[in-house]
Amino acid sequence: MKKLLFLLFFPVGIMSAQETLQLSEGQNSPSASLEDVAWIAGHWQGEAFGGMAEEIWSNPMGGSMMFVFRLVADNEVSFYEVGHIQEVDDSIILQLKHFDKNLRGWEEKNETVDFRLVKIERNKAYFEGFTIEKVSEDQINMWVLIESKDSAKEVLFAYKRM
């Protein structure tokens, strides 16, 4: 899948259990609102690839929750992401764009990496290839499905609240 090949997250750990889901052919996203995922808001950090991964998520406002991500390794930014979870058609979608350390975009100008909602639970949101789980008030886990030509693996990001 094109969207997952562009996604370059750096792993904290590789999981063997299935944590990410996909929509079936022709299946629509379930009804959901930003209130269902408002628990994501906050400033989160975790170690990744010898550096520090950081995400800052806003509270819901104006039909979206925005976020920024950066990976800092060897005291230098490796890359950034900017994105949001947005309310669309009685559901939500996670969209993002990648940027290098000099803010040059990886995706084409009008392209985003999109993760449609598959399933929503009280403390877990399953987007296509991307799952976010509230472990406690001070910890969230994010699993990302990374695909290459020959394999696919889920990568875990274990974040703590700052």
Side-chain angles (χ1 to χ4, degrees), residues 79-154:
F79 73 95
Y80 296 100
E81 292 176 352
V82 175
H84 64 185
I85 296 177
Q86 181 179 29
E87 292 180 338
V88 176
D89 299 328
D90 193 38
S91 191
I92 55 177
I93 186 169
L94 190 154
Q95 298 175 297
L96 61 85
K97 291 182 87 72
H98 296 90
F99 298 88
D100 70 14
K101 68 180 181 176
N102 295 312
L103 294 181
R104 287 186 285 263
W106 294 3
E107 290 81 23
E108 292 296 321
K109 179 179 177 180
N110 293 324
E111 287 183 6
T112 56
V113 181
D114 297 351
F115 301 90
R116 297 185 308 154
L117 183 68
V118 176
K119 179 177 159 184
I120 193 89
E121 296 176 351
R122 185 170 170 259
N123 290 319
K124 208 166 191 179
Y126 296 88
F127 296 91
E128 289 187 303
F130 194 114
T131 300
I132 307 170
E133 176 188 33
K134 177 182 177 182
V135 177
S136 70
E137 289 300 318
D138 295 320
Q139 184 180 354
I140 61 173
N141 288 332
M142 295 187 184
W143 288 271
V144 180
L145 180 65
I146 307 256
E147 292 183 329
S148 65
K149 289 181 183 179
D150 301 328
S151 66
K153 58 186 166 187
E154 291 179 344

